[in-house]
Amino acid sequence: MDQSFESDPGVQLMLAYKRGDEGAFDRIVEQYSGQVFSLLTRFLGPKPGREDLVQDVFLRVVRARDRYEPTARFSTWIYRIVFNLAVNETQRQVGKEVSGHDGGASGDDEAGDALLNWRDDKVEDPSERMAHDDVVLAVRAAIARLPEQQRMALVLAKYHEMPYLEIAAVLGSSEKAVKSLVHRARENLRVTLAPYLQGEIA
Amino acid sequence: MKLDCLAFRTLLENQLVGRPDPSSLSALSWHEHLFGCGDCRRLFEGEEALEALLATWPEPRLSPEVKRRVLMALAKSKRFETSLDALLERDVEYTAPKDLAARVLAGLEMDRGAIGARSKQSASAKTPVNAGVSGTFDPLDRLLERAGDVTVPRDLARHVLAALATERAPARRPILAWRRSTWLAAAAAIFVLALVVWLAQQRPETPVEPIVENVPTTNAPQMDGLAPRKIPLAPQVVSNAPDVQMLAALDVLENWDLLMSSDDVDALLSTLGTADEVLLDYQDEG
């Protein structure tokens, strides 16, 4: 076992679960389901079925129980699962759209348009109410239009405060590549959000 | 509005100082800010008139003296003073955060390749580890922060656990799972054993005999007091060495007269075929 990850609480819980402590898995779900849901929402947008995807993520954790080895922080490990699942979901969705529309707009564009048209009338939470702000919707749509790797790198760096080295582990890439991905994502967002950025400066 | 005045006058100043060309000012004459701000319009018109005046000079060039006058005129403007205050207020608004040092250190650590848990621990809990690259005061970051809130559904963990209950059930009973696999292994072992036994039973137990072709048999003639014997007649031996049983039979044939009457011998000889005669010749040669 890599000694540097021994102190990670998530790794300790997963190892306890591997040894047969069922309660450890309950604590894993309690502690990480929110982060998994947030990451999925930021990556895929507020599409329905996110809770099912959260279940799929933890289902993979259950199935990986016996062969789990702590080669990274637990959050890194589970985010990698989330990324693979989210990419699969995106590609599945794109395949469905392509077969349905016989070409046309890309999946990312579809996701962005869906975000722009998205409204939830049953929102009660203040943060969700804030999501109705046009600027917020525009930002989310711009993020949704980013290529998958750029999007995940940006979301992890910006919203999950993850170091580039760990993002590289999630994406199966190098630290330099992640720096480049984040930089390109930000440049793309600057172009897409230029009107809103001028408002911010004023 | 104050900031717009500042922005406009900065723009105007840049036009006046950087490009002393009256046509450059005309580009600003339709600036939207002038429609809502009388002070700036009056200032602009004054500067435009001054520029027009200067344009009449043989060599229209903004001399240091004119430049000083323009700057002095701008400095005397009350609105400009107000805008300067606004600028100072803006500066106060962006007072460096308390954890700036930690962020700078985190950013430097990353650039030096020493990132990871150490850099994360050195910064405060809310400090973006990658702030050194992304830029803390970047307007893009402020936009992204506005859009970053996600509301996690209530009882999400409970729902997930409930949904996974069936999937986790086998994992909760590892002994049962072990027994199941053991049973499978035992059943496979029994099947293999039974197959081996069956194959062993199917194998013939009789010893291997020498290869002969067309070995007709005939009953020996009924003799007094003796049971009829089955005598192999003139087998065609494929191998070079004669068979032991065949030689024993030939020994009996050599002593026919001891066992049978001459009539019996004649009867027996009448039953012999060509192959038997070949065999007898072989015996004589031996």
Side-chain angles (χ1 to χ4, degrees):
Chain A
M1 175 177 172
D2 193 329
Q3 297 296 314
S4 59
F5 302 114
E6 260 185 356
S7 58
D8 183 68
V11 168
Q12 290 177 352
L13 283 174
M14 191 62 198
L15 288 175
Y17 177 51
K18 185 180 180 181
R19 288 192 297 267
D21 181 358
E22 292 295 325
F25 181 75
D26 295 354
R27 290 196 292 280
I28 286 173
V29 174
E30 284 160 9
Q31 289 183 18
Y32 289 93
S33 57
Q35 295 176 35
V36 168
F37 182 84
S38 299
L39 181 56
L40 280 168
T41 302
R42 285 167 180 145
F43 186 80
L44 296 172
K47 60 193 305 178
R50 281 168 294 161
E51 287 190 37
D52 293 340
L53 287 175
V54 174
Q55 286 175 19
D56 284 348
V57 169
F58 285 100
L59 182 62
R60 293 191 182 194
V61 172
V62 169
R63 289 175 179 169
R65 174 187 191 170
D66 293 334
R67 60 177 187 279
Y68 173 76
E69 292 297 334
T71 54
R73 291 204 311 150
F74 184 75
S75 56
T76 306
W77 184 73
I78 201 167
Y79 284 171
R80 184 164 177 75
I81 295 176
V82 173
F83 177 61
N84 291 334
L85 233 158
V87 168
N88 289 346
E89 175 66 16
T90 306
Q91 289 169 353
R92 191 181 64 80
Q93 202 66 31
V94 169
K96 198 185 286 182
E97 296 292 342
V98 167
S99 62
H101 298 304
D102 195 22
S106 72
D108 291 340
D109 285 344
E110 297 271 348
D113 293 341
L115 270 169
L116 281 174
N117 297 326
W118 174 64
R119 289 288 188 279
D120 188 355
D121 296 332
K122 293 180 284 186
V123 172
E124 293 177 358
D125 189 277
S127 64
E128 286 288 320
R129 213 176 300 128
M130 193 185 75
H132 287 198
D133 182 12
D134 285 345
V135 177
V136 172
L137 286 175
V139 172
R140 288 181 176 174
I143 292 174
R145 284 196 174 99
L146 291 173
E148 288 162 353
Q149 294 242 337
Q150 286 183 26
R151 200 187 326 162
M152 183 54 85
L154 179 91
V155 166
L156 288 175
K158 180 67 195 169
Y159 297 120
H160 292 258
E161 300 173 358
M162 192 174 244
Y164 286 151
L165 194 61
E166 292 186 20
I167 297 174
V170 171
L171 299 180
S173 185
S174 69
E175 188 182 353
K176 277 186 178 178
V178 169
K179 276 186 181 178
S180 170
L181 283 171
V182 173
H183 177 73
R184 278 186 282 148
R186 295 180 67 87
E187 288 304 309
N188 286 337
L189 289 181
R190 276 185 216 286
V191 173
T192 314
L193 298 173
Y196 300 95
L197 282 172
Q198 285 179 359
E200 278 294 309
I201 293 168
Chain B
M1 196 62 182
K2 290 176 182 176
L3 292 178
D4 284 346
C5 287
L6 172 66
F8 177 78
R9 290 172 192 222
T10 305
L11 194 61
L12 176 62
E13 187 180 0
N14 289 339
Q15 291 285 344
L16 289 171
V17 177
R19 298 193 331 181
D21 178 4
S23 65
S24 66
L25 278 184
S26 63
L28 286 177
S29 62
W30 292 97
H31 196 283
E32 60 178 359
H33 178 71
L34 294 180
F35 293 99
C37 180
D39 290 342
C40 285
R41 169 156 285 280
R42 279 189 290 278
L43 177 67
F44 174 76
E45 286 171 348
E47 294 302 331
E48 200 176 30
L50 180 62
E51 285 297 312
L53 181 63
L54 291 173
T56 61
W57 290 8
E59 291 183 17
R61 215 182 79 197
L62 195 63
S63 67
E65 177 60 21
V66 175
K67 185 176 169 183
R68 189 183 61 80
R69 280 172 49 204
V70 170
L71 289 175
M72 279 182 65
L74 286 170
K76 284 177 183 173
S77 166
K78 187 182 176 184
R79 289 300 299 250
F80 182 77
E81 291 292 342
T82 313
S83 298
L84 184 61
D85 289 341
L87 180 64
L88 293 173
E89 282 171 11
R90 186 183 174 90
D91 192 37
V92 171
E93 185 185 341
Y94 288 126
T95 302
K98 284 183 287 185
D99 54 357
L100 177 63
R103 295 184 189 199
V104 169
L105 284 174
L108 287 175
E109 260 193 332
M110 278 195 318
D111 285 342
R112 289 154 58 192
I115 68 164
R118 191 156 49 91
S119 63
K120 190 155 179 86
Q121 287 164 4
S122 69
S124 65
K126 280 286 179 184
T127 301
V129 179
N130 305 319
V133 176
S134 62
T136 311
F137 305 120
D138 195 327
L140 177 62
D141 284 308
R142 276 185 279 161
L143 269 186
L144 292 175
E145 279 162 16
R146 289 176 66 183
D149 289 336
V150 173
T151 305
V152 178
R154 290 176 190 172
D155 297 333
L156 175 65
R158 193 169 57 80
H159 288 311
V160 170
L161 287 171
L164 293 179
T166 359
E167 187 68 28
R168 293 173 66 197
R172 285 181 190 276
R173 296 191 296 272
I175 296 174
L176 182 63
W178 180 82
R179 280 179 185 166
R180 195 175 296 162
S181 63
T182 308
W183 291 340
L184 283 173
I190 290 169
F191 175 75
V192 170
L193 192 62
L195 187 65
V196 168
V197 169
W198 181 77
L199 285 174
Q201 286 175 346
Q202 293 299 112
R203 191 169 293 174
E205 293 179 351
T206 51
V208 178
E209 293 182 350
I211 302 168
V212 296
E213 290 179 358
N214 301 325
V215 187
T217 57
T218 183
N219 288 334
Q222 187 69 36
M223 293 177 290
D224 298 337
L226 289 175
R229 297 180 62 192
K230 222 172 201 181
I231 302 166
L233 295 177
Q236 291 185 346
V237 180
V238 174
S239 61
N240 292 330
D243 184 69
V244 176
Q245 289 182 346
M246 181 190 71
L247 292 175
L250 290 174
D251 287 343
V252 172
L253 288 174
E254 279 182 353
N255 297 308
W256 285 346
D257 52 344
L258 297 176
L259 299 173
M260 307 177 221
S261 65
S262 56
D263 293 336
D264 293 333
V265 172
D266 291 337
L268 178 61
L269 288 175
S270 67
T271 63
L272 296 179
T274 313
D276 298 317
E277 290 175 6
V278 172
L279 185 61
L280 290 173
D281 290 340
Y282 175 81
Q283 178 66 16
D284 289 338
E285 286 172 9

